[in-house]
Amino acid sequence: MTHLRRWRLPAIVTLLFLIAPAMAEETDRSKVGLVLGGGGARGAAHIGVLKELERMRVPVDAIAGTSMGAIVGGLYATGMNATELEELVDSLDWAAALTDKPNRGDMSFRRKQDDAQVPIDLELGIRDNSIVMPKGVIQGQELDLLLRRLTLDVSHIDDFDNLPIPFRAIASDIEYGEAIVMQRGDLAQAIRASMSVPAVFAPVRIDGRLLVDGGLVRNLPIDVMQAMDVDVIIAVDVEFPLYGPEELDSAVAITEQMVTILMRKETERQIERMNARDILIQPDLGTYASSNFDEILDTIVPGQDATRAQADKLQAIALDQAAWEAYAAERVAPVATASHLAFVDVKHDGVLASEVLESRLTVAAGDPIDHAVLAANADRLYGLQLFEQVSYRLVEGEEGTGAEYLARTKSWGPNILQFGVALEDDFAGSTGFNVFGRITRVGINRLGAEWRNDVQLGTDPKLFSEFYQPLSFDARFFIAPYLQLEQTNINAFAQDETVARYRLSEGKVGFDFGRELGRIGEFRLGVFRGAGEARVKIGDPSLENIDFQSGGAFMRLRFDTLDNARFPKSGMRADIGWTLSRPGLGADARYDTIEGEVTHNWTHGKSTFQVGFGYATTLESNGVVQDYFRLGGFQRLSGFQRGAISGPHAALAKLVYRRQIGESGLLATPIYLGLSLEGGNAWQDRSDMSVDSMLLNGSVFAGFDSWIGPVYLGAGFGEQGHSNVYLFVGAPPD
C-alpha cells in the first residue's frame, strides 16, 4: 500500500498535465448564442443559416426563438441537425398541419353525418343569448400533434436547460401585452404558443396566462439571449420588409404595413443592444410571403448566402475539426429510459365521464411508447368533434412513464351552431335555394347525450329535432326520439311525362333504437307516426288533393368510409332501409318499401372513378304519392329536372369519372373536370321494370371545393332530347 501511495501524487500531476490543454481549450472558446426571429414561412431561412454554421464549424451553445424561429430553434435544440430539418420541412404537408379538420376516418359516424349535411366548416356557439366565436380560425390540433411527434424523444425533459442545447421560446401574454420567456414545461406546447398568430391560431393557456405569437412584443429576442450568459450572439432577422408607396394600394396592405412598423421598431431596439462581437444575419428574402409554405425551401439558399457574407466574423468563433467533432458528439438528446407505457390517463374539462373517452382508445398500459399510436388515439378522440383540441404527453407517475391525454372542451360550446346553403338552378325554370342551420347541444350528461335541432328555410323548408342518448360509455347502443316537419315538391310521372306536381307537407314523430358500428356506420330500427297532405301545385285541376296518415316501423343500415364528403377519392357510402307501413300503427294502407343506394370510389393518380347503384321498390301495393321514389337532377338522370321522374319502383346505375387539374396546397384549390354516364327510371308497376326501359343519361361538369361547400357547373343530356344546364352550390349531389 505504501508503494502505491508513493506513485499516487505523481500520477495525478501527470494526468492534470495531460488534460489541461483540452480543459483550457474548452474554457477559452467563446460561448455562442443563436437568436432566431419570427417570420412565418420566411423563417425557414434559419435552416440555411444553420447549414452554413455547421459547414463553418460554428458551435451553438444556446438558442432563443420566436414563432417560426421557435420551431426551427426548438427542434435544433433537441438534437436535430440542419440537414434533418431541411428534409423535415420538405416532407411536411403544411396544408394538413395547419388545419383543424380531422381525418374523416377518425370521425365518429355521427360527426360524419354533420360533415356531409353541413358543408361550411365554420362553427359558432350560443351562450347567454349571444353568439360566441372561436378564439382563432385554427385551433392547432394537427400542428400540436406534429410538434409532439417531433419532440417525443425529449418529452420527458421539462427543463429546457437540460436539452442538448439550452433553449428559450418567447410568447406574448395577450392580456397584459408582456413578453413571456418559456424555459420550462412542455416543449411542444411552448413552441405552439410562440407561433400562435392572433386570430389565426387559438391562444395557448399556460400557467394561467393566455399566450399568443411572441412576435407581437419580441420578434428578435436578443435581450433574452443576453440573459443566458453567452459571449457572442448570432441574431437572424427574417421580418417582412416595409411596403413601398406603390404597394400600399389597399386597406389590407396598409394594415399589414402598420403591424410591420410596430414589430420593426421593437426589433430595431433589440438590434441596438448588440455589441461589436455580435453578428447580425439578415437574409435577402424580398417580398417572399410569410404564408407561402408551398415554396418554403426557396428561403434556405438566401439564409446560406447571408451567413456566408459574415464569414470573417464567424471564423473567429469557429472550432477546429477535433473540437467540432467533440461538440457534435455532445449534441445527442438524452433518451428516456422507459420503453413501454406504465399507464394511460385521460383528462378533460367537460361533463363527460372519463370512461366515454377511454372507451375510444386503442392504447393501454404495457404498450410500447410509439408516437404514431399515441397520435392516432388523440385523433380518435378529436374525431368526436367535442373538443377544440386533444393533445397528449408523456408524464412520470408512481408506476413509471405513462401517457396523459388532455382534451379541452370547445370554448364556444356547449351549444354549437353550424350553417349550410344549397343552390341548384337548371336555367330552365327549376330553381331551388335553401339556407340551413343546425344547433346541437352537446355533452348534456355523462354518457354524451346530444340534442340536435335543424332549421331549413327556402324551397324545401324543414324542422327536425332529435335527442340522441347513448346507453353505455362506449355508445355502442343508443336511443333517439325525434320530431320532423318538412315540405317538398314531388312529381307524378307517367309515360316519360310529368302529369302533376304536388306540394307535399308532412309531420312525423318517431323513436329509434340503434347500434353504433364503430366509426363507419350505424344500424337503426324504430317506429314512427305521422300525417300530411299532398296538394296539386301544377297539373290538371281535376286531380285530387291527398290527405294521408302514416305509421309503421323501419330498419336502416348506413355505412360511410369516404375520405371526403365533397369530392371523395376513396371509400364507400351505403344506405339501405326497409319500411313497414301498417294500419295498426296509424297508416292508411298496408305496404312495405325497400330501398338502397351504394357508391364506391377509387383513385389512380389524379383520376377518380365512382360507381353507384340504387334500387327501390314498394311491396304489396303500388304505393302512394308521398312515398314515391324520385329521380332526375345532377348525376341522377342528369337530362331531367330534379325530381322530374318518380314512382313506387325505381332503379339507378351510374359511372362517374373525375380528374383533378391543378395542385392542392395551403392556399390552392384544385379544380375537377369530369363526366358521368347514368341509366335508370321509375315505374308504376314492378312488372314494367327492365333494362330495356331504363333511360340513358349523362353529364359533363367542372367543380371545385369552396368555403360554403362544393360548386358544380355542368350540362346534362338524356334520351328524347332532354337536356339541362346545372349550377350547383353548397352541398354534394345526392
Side-chain angles (χ1 to χ4, degrees), residues 238-292:
V238 294
E239 283 186 19
F240 196 86
L242 293 174
Y243 286 128
E246 69 284 352
E247 298 169 305
L248 296 171
D249 56 357
S250 69
V252 174
I254 291 173
T255 302
E256 290 178 345
Q257 185 87 327
M258 177 186 67
V259 174
T260 302
I261 289 172
L262 295 174
M263 293 177 61
R264 192 75 237 166
K265 292 293 185 183
E266 172 58 28
T267 295
E268 289 172 354
R269 284 193 288 268
Q270 290 292 311
I271 292 174
E272 290 173 357
R273 299 176 64 96
M274 301 177 71
N275 59 44
R277 292 192 65 192
D278 296 337
I279 303 166
L280 178 64
I281 298 175
Q282 294 177 302
D284 183 8
L285 299 171
T287 58
Y288 184 93
S290 58
S291 60
N292 188 10

Side-chain angles (χ1 to χ4, degrees), residues 424-431 501 639-641 723-726:
E424 185 175 356
D425 194 340
D426 64 5
F427 301 97
S430 179
T431 301
R501 174 172 292 177
F640 294 84
Q641 293 182 354
S723 63
N724 275 312
V725 177
Y726 290 100

Side-chain angles (χ1 to χ4, degrees), residues 495-506:
Q495 302 298 320
D496 297 344
E497 296 292 337
T498 300
V499 297
R501 174 172 292 177
Y502 288 88
R503 185 64 169 175
L504 180 67
S505 303
E506 184 176 12

